[in-house]
Amino acid sequence: MATREAEWKTPLDTGGDVFELLGNARKAWIYTYLRHNPDATVEDVVQTLEIPQRTTYEYVDDLESAGFIEQSNEGRPAHYTAEEIDLHLVQGNVEREITPALIEAIARRMRDDDVDTYIDRHGLDGLAVALEYAREYVDGTVTHRIMAREQGVSPLEAGIILDALRPIVEG
């Protein structure tokens, strides 16, 4: 599936480097890979994620310049490690937490049609809300029907996105 980079019209789309990361599933996937595989090289990223080498170098440079990843050695080949991200965005009475889990959820749109469709329908803000429900769903304090009723989505759609986000919450 091709990377989808929609125009986000939600509170999570306010500009800056972190929002560029949120809007680019490939960058989010590289960040997520480096978070789960500390000290990986660009070649590791290219081979594992099947992203063209030139694009990978460009995105790694962007992520490093923005402070999301850092080179973890002084030699060549360069090894990279992801920095922890924990930002809170408040716009009006809406607060969203931008965490590595949210970035991983965005990255999954490249390989998971259910996540991709959900983002297309509900935007990044909707995905952030669904991730909050997924945490409670995994804990057993919320069902897909509760999410459906409270968020105005069908029970089927709620169940599908909660199941798609489960590995992120459990991981």
Side-chain angles (χ1 to χ4, degrees), residues 30 42-43 46 51-63 76-78 80:
I30 291 170
V42 168
E43 190 58 35
V46 168
I51 298 174
Q53 186 175 34
R54 182 176 179 162
T55 301
T56 302
Y57 272 108
E58 178 184 324
Y59 288 174
V60 164
D61 286 344
D62 291 349
L63 292 168
R76 294 283 175 220
Y80 294 92

Side-chain angles (χ1 to χ4, degrees), residues 74-137:
E74 293 185 23
R76 294 283 175 220
H79 294 257
Y80 294 92
T81 302
E83 296 291 325
E84 285 299 313
I85 296 174
D86 186 15
L87 300 172
H88 294 266
L89 173 67
V90 178
Q91 185 172 358
N93 62 352
V94 176
E95 180 177 349
R96 291 287 171 254
E97 186 176 9
I98 300 168
T99 64
L102 177 59
I103 294 167
E104 183 171 345
I106 293 164
R108 286 182 181 251
R109 85 176 311 190
M110 287 184 60
R111 305 212 171 148
D112 187 323
D113 289 337
D114 295 329
V115 173
D116 189 51
T117 299
Y118 197 85
I119 292 172
D120 284 346
R121 289 182 180 168
H122 305 284
L124 292 179
D125 195 54
L127 182 66
V129 171
L131 188 59
E132 291 173 20
Y133 276 97
R135 288 184 183 104
E136 294 177 18
Y137 181 69

Side-chain angles (χ1 to χ4, degrees), residues 15-55:
D17 290 329
V18 73
F19 306 102
E20 158 71 23
L21 174 61
L22 295 175
N24 185 316
R26 281 185 170 179
K27 283 184 183 180
W29 198 247
I30 291 170
Y31 171 84
T32 298
Y33 178 81
L34 293 173
R35 185 169 169 266
H36 290 289
N37 300 281
D39 295 323
T41 64
V42 168
E43 190 58 35
D44 296 333
V45 173
V46 168
Q47 289 179 359
T48 304
L49 301 183
E50 299 175 356
I51 298 174
Q53 186 175 34
R54 182 176 179 162
T55 301

